Structure formats: C-alpha cells, structure tokens
C-alpha cells in the first residue's frame, strides 16, 4: 500500500503537498483568508455577494505587483540597454545629456535631466520604428538580459503567489487585466506567456501609433508623441476608456495604484452593496526581495498605505504572507 | 409517430426549420459558403488553415455593418435630439450656428458648418457630464426614440444575418470585437445586450475622460477634448493599441473600413500563409433597407468596393444574400 501511495504522490505533486490549495505559496493568515473568501462568496450562486460572470473584472498593476521593480523599473533598464547598443551610431551622445548620463550609468545625473530627459531616452528605444521591430527588440532583450543584482532573466522575477492568484481568479470566471504605468507594447511581449494575460487584456502607458501601407505591407509605426501615462488618475480613466466597466477586484503596490483601488472599491451610493476587493503588496522582505515603502523613489507606498485601513484594502506583508517569492 | 415528430418539432424550432444551419438568414450562395468554409477550416485541428484559439480575433464595424446608418448615423440623431431637449435652456441657440440649423432640422445647413459645427453639436450631448449621466441619457433615448422613416426603435434596426454570424464565430472560439467610427461610450450602452459583445470588446471613437473623487464618490467625467476618430487609418492603429494583435476576420461596409480590412487580410510576407477573411456588406436592397454605395454621403462605399476583387474580400449583396434583414 505504501508503495502505491508513493507512486500516486509522484504522479500528482499537488496531492503530495497535501493540497487542493489554489494558493500554496501564500501562508495561512488574514490576507489569504480574505482572498479565498472573496472569490468563494462572489462566485457562489445564491450568495448575497454573488457577482455575475460578465462583471467579474480583476485588474492588476504590473511593476512591484506582478514582478519586481528594483533597483528601477525594468522597462527603463531596457531603454538604457538600447541606448548603449546604439551609442556607436551617435558619437554626440557622449557629450550631450541625457545620453551622457545614461551611457555612464549615472542614474543621479539622468534623473536630474527631468521628465524631458527621460522622455528622450525612452524615445530612442520606443518610437520611430515599426511595432514589429519594437516587439522584436524587447523579445531579444528579455531572452538575454540579466537583472543587475540577482543575475536572473527579468521574466523569472515574477511573483509566484501572484501567478497563483491570477490563476485562481481565472478558474473562477474572472477576466484578469493588467493596468500598469508600464508601456502597453512592452508588457504585451511577455504578458500572455508569463502571466496568462492576453494582449487585449493588457492596459498601460502608450504613445500614438499610425497605420500605413509600406511597400504594400500593412505596417504600424510607433510615433514619438501622444503619450498617455497610465498611472494615478490615469488608471481609472483608462479602465473606463478600455474596459468600460468597473472592476470588482484590484491589486497594486504603490501610491500610483491608489485611484485604481478607490475606483474599484468605494461604493457609488448607499444602494451599492456589491462586494469589492482591494489588495496592496507591501515590500517588506529585504532578504528574499527588497524592503521599501514610504520613501522609495521607485514604487513609493505612502498615501495608499495610510488609506488602506479606512478603505478596507488588504495589505499583503510579503515577508509574512508569502512562503515563496519568485516563480523560478 | 407523426404526432411525436410534430411534438419534437414544436419543442425544437431549429429542427422544425430542417436545419442545424448556423446562418439561417443567409441564402445559399458564394458569400455564405465562403464564411462557413472559413470558420470550419480555421477551427479544425490538423487543417492547414487552423488558427489557434488565442489568435481567433474577429472585428466588426458597427454603422452599416451591424445596424443601419440611414438617413444618417444614429448617434448623430441622438445628438440632435439632445440639442432639441436642451434648447429651452439656451435661447441663444435659435440664432447661432450650428445650433440654429440643428434645431430647424436643416441637415444641409448643419453640414455646411463643417467639422467644427458638428463637433459643437456632439460636445453638447457627449461631454461635460459624468460617464454615468451620459450612459443614462443614451439608455433613455434608446428606450423611447423611433427611427424617422421605419418608426422602429433603433436597437431593432440590427441585421439578423450579422447577429447569426457573430454567434457562429463565437461558438467556434472567436472573440468578437466592434471597431467602429461610432463613439465607444455610446455603443457600450447596448452592445452587450444587442450584439453579445461585452464593453471591453467595443472599440470606437473617443474623447478624453478624467477621474476624480466627487463628494467622496469615484467619478469619471467626459471632457470636450482629446478626440480620437476610429475610422480609416485610425482603425488599424486602434486595433493595435487596444487589442494588440492582428485580427483574422474583419467585416465592414464602407471606405472607412478599407484600412481595417487591409490590416487584417494582406499577408505580411511570403511566409505568411495564415487564413484571413475580409467581408463587406453592400447595401443593395432599397425595398427592405436602403440601396447606396459609391456616391452616398453616409457610408460611402467606393474605393473598398474597387479593391475587393484583388484583395479577395467577400462582398455581401444584401438583396441577394440575405433572406431576412432586420432582427425584429
């Protein structure tokens, strides 16, 4: 009998772990309990909190919520790598800002060039090319680039507990969206494979694009204009514009997500008793990841942290609530 | 035995009509055959034309493709009705254009005020209000307004054959989108109920919106700025921006859809052998609907009609190919 049981366990790892637990990387505690209860009550017919399948919209921030964002947004690291790769064709960059600082890896100097400087660096890697060329350059970078401190490929720095949460919501009829300050065209290159979120459910910052027939071939060209920043007030505005209905579940990790959580969870009036869920990932784990919040330049988490108790938002303590961080 | 068969037929109308035909309102002919073949070959595993479920994206224009558009776009009729309803509060409109012509029902005069005039009329009914207020005003209008010549509610002027096509694609794993020159917020009010297309799959012309907490309640306000026209080159640009991948099926009815059909159907290179389908509804039925094409001010169908043969686009002859037009 023992041999048979061992054989079954080998064949079925989830049974071996003693669980049909949909969130095995989450420790037992108030955050995990709240998430599981919410999904159960909103999907059980007859429950007062039942949410019709068509209204089951869940939105997730990306940087710091689904994957890491330190020592700086990965998309900015991509942009800097692209500047370096093109530097030989632009000798003038050695002496003119913001490229001088970018090439020297001088982050302080680069940030001192302000939004305009950053926009110039981003323009080099993100505009003036076709959509296919851009996607190809992101794809090549993801395949080869390594994170500066962990040495891992960036696509391995996604949070296993959040992958489990995405999958659990989807298996209960929720449609999962990414709503991120990151560039929509950047995230779409990997979101389907890494998160299971198809391109049409990825929402992010964007620049204008134009369509043309180029030598008879339909071509989309990315333009250095028409920037929409999908952050803070921009998130609910973009959710309205692109999804067209209010989510019932929102997850973020920084002040940039505060308005998205407000939009998702605050009742519209006294009659509005729909169940809603706001979740915030608190980066408390300096050992396995990073510890930062109120004073961080990247992913500042201050006002949203203050608002969490009164709004009923669930704050996930990464060190306490997760028994595993990365998905690799 | 006869009685039993009759009973079965009564219980099962599709059996009574002698069909598991998914397109009963389409007459047998080349258009119907082409559509049915395309759906079958792209969804049969092992077929050389097989399309993976995640890539099964189908896009539909709205005005003139899913519902009627004569004597003018229904959304413009809504805007004119709103101007009339608000005229008492704006005595100055009686003497100033474009409102003077709009109130007099003088279409020629209104069109003479150009794009700026039309924009002013649209702004009155579409901006400077909350998203909820706008949706409410469209909903009330749809409930009560009647088409000027048929006397039907507008939501009854949808094409039964196209509803069948949408349903047939969806039941074969296609995700159906609307991509229309019409306003996205206008269409979302009825698209789910009338077409089975959820708000997040409706793409259209748009204006900017902003988010704010108004008396503590999350509120989206529609702004009279940031107009994006989802027509001609704007359609593929918006498909790229919002869906993020290329459709395999596109349906339209006018020159405004030409670029969307190009983007969908023209191979990217010699290796690109993916099956693609372009469909154009030709309004040839003056008796049951309207007959118009090359010289119409609404829904002009001239260049796309010229291009259809060389591009392999299927032109649906409404009078010949449809045994039923409206869904009522």
């Amino acid at each position: 009998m023992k041999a048979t049981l061992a054989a079954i366990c080998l064949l079925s790892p989830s049974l071996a772990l003693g669980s049909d637990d949909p969130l095995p990387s989450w420790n037992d505690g108030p955050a995990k309990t709240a998430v599981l209860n919410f999904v159960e009550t909103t999907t059980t017919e007859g429950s007062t909190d039942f949410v019709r399948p068509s209204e089951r919209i869940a939105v997730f921030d990306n940087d710091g919520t689904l994957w890491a964002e330190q020592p700086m947004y990965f998309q900015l690291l991509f942009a800097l790598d692209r500047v370096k790769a093109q530097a030989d064709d632009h000798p003038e960059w050695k002496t003119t800002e913001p490229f001088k600082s970018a090439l020297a890896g001088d982050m302080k100097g680069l940030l001192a060039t302000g939004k305009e400087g950053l926009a110039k660096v981003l323009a080099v890697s993100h505009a003036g090319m076709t959509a296919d060329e851009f996607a190809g350059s992101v794809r090549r970078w993801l395949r080869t680039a390594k994170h500066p401190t962990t040495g891992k490929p960036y696509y391995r720095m996604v949070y296993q507990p959040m992958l489990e949460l995405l999958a659990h919501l989807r298996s209960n009829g929720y449609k999962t969206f990414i709503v991120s300050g990151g560039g929509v065209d950047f995230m779409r290159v990997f979101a389907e494979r890494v998160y299971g979120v198809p391109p049409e459910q990825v929402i992010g910052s964007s620049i204008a694009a134009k369509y043309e027939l180029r030598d008879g071939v339909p071509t989309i060209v990315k333009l250095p204009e028409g920037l929409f920043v999908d952050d803070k007030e921009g998130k609910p505005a973009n959710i309205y514009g692109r999804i067209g209905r209010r989510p019932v579940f929102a997850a973020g990790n920084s002040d940039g997500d505060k308005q998205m959580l407000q939009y998702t969870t605050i009742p519209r009036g006294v009659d509005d008793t729909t169940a809603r869920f706001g979740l915030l990932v608190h980066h408390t784990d300096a050992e396995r990841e990073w510890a930062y919040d109120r004073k961080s330049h990247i992913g500042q988490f201050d006002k949203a942290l203050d608002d969490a108790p009164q709004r009923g938002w669930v704050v996930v303590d990464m060190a306490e609530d997760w028994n595993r961080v990365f998905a690799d």
Side-chain angles (χ1 to χ4, degrees), chain A residues 199-226:
Chain A
E200 62 270 25
Q201 286 161 225
V202 178
I203 294 167
S205 295
S206 57
I207 53 176
K210 71 168 177 180
Y211 166 81
E212 61 188 40
L213 275 184
R214 196 175 270 191
D215 299 326
V217 176
T219 305
I220 299 285
V221 183
K222 286 166 67 67
L223 303 176
E225 62 192 47

Side-chain angles (χ1 to χ4, degrees), chain A residues 73-88:
Chain A
Y73 301 122
F74 296 174
Q75 190 174 357
L76 191 53
L77 295 172
F78 160 74
L80 293 176
D81 282 351
R82 293 303 304 150
V83 167
K84 283 174 198 157
Q86 294 171 66
D88 284 351

Side-chain angles (χ1 to χ4, degrees), chain A residues 83-321:
Chain A
V83 167
K84 283 174 198 157
Q86 294 171 66
D88 284 351
D89 298 334
H90 299 274
E92 74 282 9
W93 285 357
K94 275 186 200 139
T95 50
T96 44
E97 291 291 14
F99 302 104
K100 191 181 155 191
S101 293
L103 289 171
D106 173 7
M107 282 306 110
K108 233 176 173 175
L110 178 59
L111 291 174
T113 66
K115 278 188 189 171
E116 270 180 49
L118 281 175
K120 276 186 194 166
V121 165
L122 286 169
V124 163
S125 47
H126 288 70
M129 65 190 80
T130 71
D132 288 346
E133 286 164 356
F134 176 74
S137 102
V138 176
R139 210 172 285 124
R140 281 189 299 277
W141 180 79
L142 279 173
R143 227 174 4 234
T144 55
K146 297 268 173 20
H147 187 275
T149 61
T150 69
K152 295 181 197 193
Y154 291 99
Y155 60 85
R156 290 256 166 97
M157 293 187 66
V158 302
Y159 304 132
Q160 175 64 24
M162 297 305 282
L163 295 185
E164 293 166 7
L165 175 54
L166 284 166
H168 183 51
L169 285 165
R170 285 196 292 261
S171 72
N172 282 278
Y174 276 86
K175 209 163 176 177
T176 55
F177 288 80
I178 291 172
V179 180
S180 171
V184 61
D185 307 332
F186 180 81
M187 295 185 289
R188 279 176 174 159
V189 173
F190 59 90
E192 187 155 39
R193 206 173 325 163
V194 175
Y195 302 132
V197 176
E200 62 270 25
Q201 286 161 225
V202 178
I203 294 167
S205 295
S206 57
I207 53 176
K210 71 168 177 180
Y211 166 81
E212 61 188 40
L213 275 184
R214 196 175 270 191
D215 299 326
V217 176
T219 305
I220 299 285
V221 183
K222 286 166 67 67
L223 303 176
E225 62 192 47
L227 175 67
F228 180 91
V229 179
D230 187 62
D231 198 34
K232 298 195 167 70
E233 285 80 6
K235 289 199 177 195
N238 224 2
I239 289 171
Y240 170 70
R242 309 223 164 192
I243 302 179
R245 54 181 148 203
R246 191 181 162 202
V248 291
F249 185 104
N253 75 300
S254 78
D255 287 352
D257 300 311
K258 192 181 78 165
Q259 289 81 358
M260 176 166 82
L261 267 73
Q262 288 175 349
Y263 183 60
T264 301
T265 66
I266 298 177
R268 289 302 178 270
V270 283
D271 323 336
D272 182 1
T273 58
T274 310
R276 308 275 175 183
F277 203 97
L279 182 148
L280 288 160
V281 175
H282 192 181
H283 293 263
T284 53
D285 195 329
E287 222 161 286
R288 297 183 299 177
E289 207 240 6
W290 285 271
Y292 59 97
D293 48 31
R294 296 185 186 275
K295 288 181 178 164
S296 179
H297 289 295
I298 301 282
Q300 186 174 35
F301 186 29
D302 183 41
K303 289 179 190 135
L305 190 53
D306 287 338
D307 284 2
Q310 68 175 99
R311 298 288 188 207
W313 297 336
V314 171
V315 178
V316 173
D317 181 326
M318 201 183 252
E320 281 289 312
D321 288 322

